[in-house]
Coordinates of all heavy atoms in Angstrom, one line a residue:
E28 N 131.7 101.4 90.1 CA 130.5 102.1 89.8 C 129.5 101.3 89.0 O 128.3 101.2 89.2 CB 130.8 103.4 89.2 CG 129.5 104.3 89.0 CD 129.9 105.6 88.3 OE1 131.1 105.9 88.2 OE2 128.9 106.4 88.0
S29 N 130.1 100.6 87.9 CA 129.3 99.9 87.0 C 128.6 98.7 87.7 O 127.4 98.4 87.6 CB 130.1 99.4 85.9 OG 129.3 98.6 85.0
G30 N 129.4 98.0 88.6 CA 128.8 96.9 89.3 C 127.8 97.3 90.3 O 126.7 96.6 90.4
M31 N 128.0 98.4 91.0 CA 127.0 98.9 91.9 C 125.7 99.4 91.3 O 124.7 99.3 91.8 CB 127.6 100.0 92.8 CG 128.7 99.5 93.7 SD 128.2 98.0 94.8 CE 126.9 98.8 95.7
K32 N 125.9 99.9 90.0 CA 124.7 100.4 89.3 C 123.8 99.2 89.0 O 122.6 99.3 89.0 CB 125.2 101.1 88.0 CG 124.0 101.6 87.2 CD 124.5 102.3 85.9 CE 123.3 102.8 85.1 NZ 123.7 103.5 83.9
K33 N 124.4 98.1 88.6 CA 123.6 96.9 88.3 C 122.8 96.5 89.6 O 121.6 96.2 89.5 CB 124.5 95.7 87.9 CG 125.2 95.8 86.6 CD 126.0 94.6 86.3 CE 126.8 94.7 85.0 NZ 127.6 93.6 84.8
V34 N 123.5 96.5 90.7 CA 122.8 96.1 92.0 C 121.7 97.1 92.3 O 120.6 96.7 92.7 CB 123.9 96.0 93.1 CG1 123.2 95.7 94.4 CG2 124.9 94.9 92.8
G35 N 122.0 98.3 92.1 CA 121.0 99.4 92.4 C 119.8 99.2 91.5 O 118.7 99.3 92.0
T36 N 120.0 98.9 90.2 CA 118.8 98.7 89.3 C 118.0 97.5 89.7 O 116.8 97.6 89.8 CB 119.3 98.6 87.9 OG1 120.1 99.7 87.5 CG2 118.2 98.3 86.9
F37 N 118.7 96.5 90.1 CA 118.1 95.2 90.5 C 117.3 95.5 91.8 O 116.1 95.1 91.9 CB 119.2 94.2 90.8 CG 118.6 92.8 91.0 CD1 118.4 92.0 89.9 CD2 118.3 92.3 92.2 CE1 117.9 90.7 90.1 CE2 117.8 91.1 92.4 CZ 117.6 90.2 91.3
F38 N 117.9 96.2 92.7 CA 117.3 96.5 94.0 C 116.0 97.3 93.9 O 115.0 97.1 94.5 CB 118.3 97.2 94.9 CG 117.9 97.4 96.4 CD1 117.9 96.3 97.2 CD2 117.4 98.6 96.8 CE1 117.5 96.4 98.6 CE2 117.0 98.7 98.1 CZ 117.0 97.7 99.0
K39 N 116.2 98.4 93.0 CA 115.0 99.3 92.8 C 113.8 98.5 92.2 O 112.7 98.7 92.7 CB 115.5 100.4 91.8 CG 114.3 101.3 91.4 CD 114.9 102.4 90.4 CE 113.7 103.3 89.9 NZ 114.2 104.2 88.9
T40 N 114.1 97.7 91.2 CA 113.0 96.9 90.6 C 112.4 95.9 91.6 O 111.2 95.8 91.7 CB 113.5 96.1 89.4 OG1 114.2 97.0 88.5 CG2 112.4 95.4 88.7
Y41 N 113.3 95.3 92.4 CA 112.8 94.4 93.4 C 111.9 95.0 94.5 O 110.8 94.5 94.8 CB 114.0 93.7 94.1 CG 113.7 92.3 94.6 CD1 114.3 91.2 93.9 CD2 112.9 92.0 95.7 CE1 114.0 89.9 94.3 CE2 112.7 90.7 96.1 CZ 113.3 89.7 95.4 OH 113.0 88.4 95.8
L42 N 112.3 96.2 95.0 CA 111.6 96.9 96.0 C 110.2 97.4 95.4 O 109.2 97.4 96.1 CB 112.3 98.1 96.5 CG 113.5 97.7 97.5 CD1 114.1 99.0 98.0 CD2 113.0 96.9 98.6
K43 N 110.2 97.8 94.1 CA 109.0 98.2 93.5 C 108.0 97.0 93.4 O 106.8 97.2 93.7 CB 109.3 98.6 92.0 CG 108.1 99.1 91.3 CD 108.5 99.6 89.9 CE 107.3 100.0 89.1 NZ 107.7 100.4 87.7
A44 N 108.5 95.8 93.2 CA 107.7 94.6 93.2 C 107.1 94.3 94.6 O 105.9 94.0 94.7 CB 108.4 93.4 92.7
I45 N 108.0 94.5 95.6 CA 107.5 94.3 97.0 C 106.4 95.3 97.4 O 105.4 95.0 97.9 CB 108.7 94.4 98.0 CG1 109.7 93.2 97.7 CG2 108.2 94.4 99.4 CD1 110.9 93.3 98.5
K46 N 106.7 96.6 97.0 CA 105.8 97.7 97.3 C 104.4 97.4 96.7 O 103.3 97.7 97.4 CB 106.3 99.0 96.9 CG 105.4 100.2 97.2 CD 106.1 101.5 96.8 CE 105.2 102.7 97.1 NZ 105.8 103.9 96.7
S47 N 104.4 97.0 95.5 CA 103.1 96.7 94.8 C 102.5 95.4 95.2 O 101.3 95.1 94.7 CB 103.3 96.8 93.3 OG 104.1 95.8 92.9
G48 N 103.2 94.6 95.9 CA 102.7 93.3 96.2 C 102.7 92.3 95.1 O 102.0 91.3 95.1
D49 N 103.6 92.6 94.1 CA 103.6 91.8 92.9 C 104.6 90.6 93.1 O 105.7 90.6 92.7 CB 104.1 92.6 91.7 CG 104.0 91.8 90.4 OD1 103.6 90.6 90.4 OD2 104.2 92.5 89.3
F50 N 104.0 89.6 93.8 CA 104.9 88.4 94.1 C 105.3 87.6 92.9 O 106.3 87.0 92.9 CB 104.1 87.5 95.1 CG 103.9 88.2 96.4 CD1 102.6 88.7 96.8 CD2 104.9 88.4 97.4 CE1 102.4 89.3 98.0 CE2 104.7 89.0 98.6 CZ 103.4 89.5 98.9
A51 N 104.4 87.7 91.9 CA 104.8 87.0 90.6 C 106.1 87.6 90.0 O 106.9 86.9 89.5 CB 103.7 87.1 89.6
E52 N 106.2 88.9 90.1 CA 107.4 89.6 89.6 C 108.6 89.2 90.4 O 109.7 89.0 89.8 CB 107.2 91.1 89.6 CG 108.4 91.9 89.2 CD 108.8 91.8 87.7 OE1 108.0 91.2 87.0 OE2 109.9 92.1 87.4
M53 N 108.4 89.1 91.7 CA 109.6 88.7 92.6 C 110.0 87.3 92.2 O 111.2 87.0 92.2 CB 109.2 88.9 94.0 CG 109.1 90.3 94.5 SD 108.8 90.4 96.3 CE 107.0 90.1 96.3
K54 N 109.0 86.4 92.0 CA 109.4 85.1 91.7 C 110.1 85.0 90.4 O 111.1 84.3 90.2 CB 108.1 84.2 91.6 CG 108.3 82.8 91.3 CD 107.0 82.0 91.3 CE 107.2 80.5 91.0 NZ 107.7 80.3 89.7
T55 N 109.6 85.8 89.4 CA 110.2 85.8 88.1 C 111.7 86.2 88.2 O 112.6 85.6 87.6 CB 109.5 86.8 87.2 OG1 108.2 86.3 86.9 CG2 110.2 86.9 85.8
M56 N 111.9 87.3 89.0 CA 113.3 87.8 89.1 C 114.2 86.7 89.8 O 115.4 86.6 89.5 CB 113.3 89.1 89.9 CG 112.6 90.2 89.2 SD 112.6 91.7 90.1 CE 114.4 92.1 90.0
N57 N 113.6 85.9 90.7 CA 114.4 84.9 91.4 C 114.8 83.8 90.4 O 115.6 83.0 90.7 CB 113.6 84.3 92.5 CG 113.6 85.2 93.7 OD1 114.5 86.1 93.9 ND2 112.5 85.1 94.6
E58 N 114.1 83.7 89.3 CA 114.3 82.6 88.4 C 115.5 82.9 87.4 O 115.8 82.1 86.5 CB 113.1 82.2 87.6 CG 112.0 81.5 88.5 CD 110.7 81.3 87.8 OE1 110.6 81.8 86.6 OE2 109.9 80.6 88.3
T59 N 116.0 84.1 87.4 CA 117.1 84.4 86.5 C 118.3 83.5 86.8 O 118.6 83.3 87.9 CB 117.5 85.9 86.6 OG1 118.5 86.2 85.7 CG2 118.0 86.2 88.0
T60 N 118.9 83.0 85.7 CA 120.0 82.1 85.9 C 121.3 82.7 85.6 O 122.3 82.2 86.1 CB 119.8 80.9 84.9 OG1 119.7 81.4 83.5 CG2 118.5 80.2 85.2
S61 N 121.4 83.8 84.9 CA 122.7 84.5 84.6 C 122.4 85.8 84.0 O 121.3 86.1 83.6 CB 123.6 83.6 83.7 OG 123.0 83.7 82.4
A62 N 123.4 86.6 83.9 CA 123.3 87.9 83.3 C 122.8 87.9 81.9 O 122.1 88.8 81.4 CB 124.6 88.7 83.3
D63 N 123.1 86.8 81.2 CA 122.6 86.6 79.8 C 121.4 85.6 79.7 O 121.0 85.2 78.7 CB 123.7 86.1 78.9 CG 124.8 87.1 78.7 OD1 124.5 88.3 78.8 OD2 126.0 86.7 78.5
G64 N 120.9 85.2 80.9 CA 119.9 84.2 80.9 C 118.5 84.9 80.8 O 118.4 86.0 80.6
G65 N 117.4 84.1 81.0 CA 116.1 84.6 80.8 C 115.2 84.4 82.0 O 115.5 83.7 83.0
Y66 N 114.1 85.2 82.0 CA 113.1 85.1 83.0 C 112.0 84.3 82.5 O 111.7 84.3 81.3 CB 112.6 86.5 83.4 CG 113.6 87.4 83.9 CD1 113.5 88.8 83.6 CD2 114.8 87.0 84.6 CE1 114.4 89.7 84.1 CE2 115.7 87.9 85.1 CZ 115.5 89.3 84.8 OH 116.5 90.2 85.2
A67 N 111.3 83.6 83.3 CA 110.1 82.9 82.9 C 109.0 83.8 82.4 O 108.8 84.9 83.0 CB 109.6 82.0 84.0
V68 N 108.2 83.4 81.4 CA 107.1 84.2 81.0 C 105.8 83.5 81.1 O 105.8 82.2 80.9 CB 107.3 84.6 79.5 CG1 106.2 85.4 78.9 CG2 108.6 85.4 79.3
P69 N 104.8 84.1 81.6 CA 103.5 83.3 81.9 C 103.0 82.6 80.7 O 103.2 83.0 79.5 CB 102.5 84.5 82.3 CG 103.4 85.6 82.8 CD 104.7 85.5 82.0
V70 N 102.4 81.5 80.9 CA 101.8 80.7 79.9 C 100.8 81.4 79.1 O 100.7 81.3 77.8 CB 101.1 79.4 80.5 CG1 100.4 78.6 79.4 CG2 102.2 78.5 81.1
E71 N 100.0 82.4 79.7 CA 99.0 83.2 79.0 C 99.7 84.0 77.9 O 99.0 84.2 76.9 CB 98.3 84.1 80.0 CG 97.4 83.4 81.0 CD 98.2 82.6 82.1 OE1 99.4 82.9 82.3 OE2 97.6 81.8 82.8
F72 N 100.9 84.4 78.1 CA 101.6 85.2 77.1 C 101.9 84.3 75.9 O 101.7 84.8 74.7 CB 102.9 85.8 77.7 CG 103.7 86.6 76.7 CD1 103.2 87.9 76.4 CD2 104.8 86.2 76.2 CE1 103.8 88.7 75.5 CE2 105.5 87.1 75.3 CZ 105.0 88.3 75.0
H73 N 102.3 83.1 76.1 CA 102.5 82.2 75.0 C 101.2 82.0 74.2 O 101.2 82.0 73.0 CB 102.9 80.8 75.5 CG 104.2 80.8 76.3 ND1 104.7 79.8 77.0 CD2 105.1 81.8 76.4 CE1 105.8 80.1 77.6 NE2 106.1 81.3 77.3
K74 N 100.1 81.8 74.9 CA 98.8 81.6 74.2 C 98.4 82.8 73.4 O 97.9 82.7 72.3 CB 97.7 81.3 75.3 CG 97.9 80.0 76.0 CD 96.8 79.8 77.0 CE 96.9 78.5 77.8 NZ 95.9 78.3 78.8
E75 N 98.7 84.0 73.9 CA 98.4 85.2 73.2 C 99.3 85.3 71.9 O 98.8 85.7 70.8 CB 98.7 86.5 74.0 CG 98.4 87.8 73.4 CD 97.0 88.0 72.9 OE1 96.1 87.2 73.4 OE2 96.7 89.0 72.2

């Protein structure tokens, strides 16, 4: 159940990105390297 919950959460977020056409979010999610790894953050956020 725990493993499937992770997949479900991931799937839900991914479909939400597809529905909204947020390709940047999909790309970000594809850049995850591990469960403890990180997602890329836009350069604009660093500047802020």
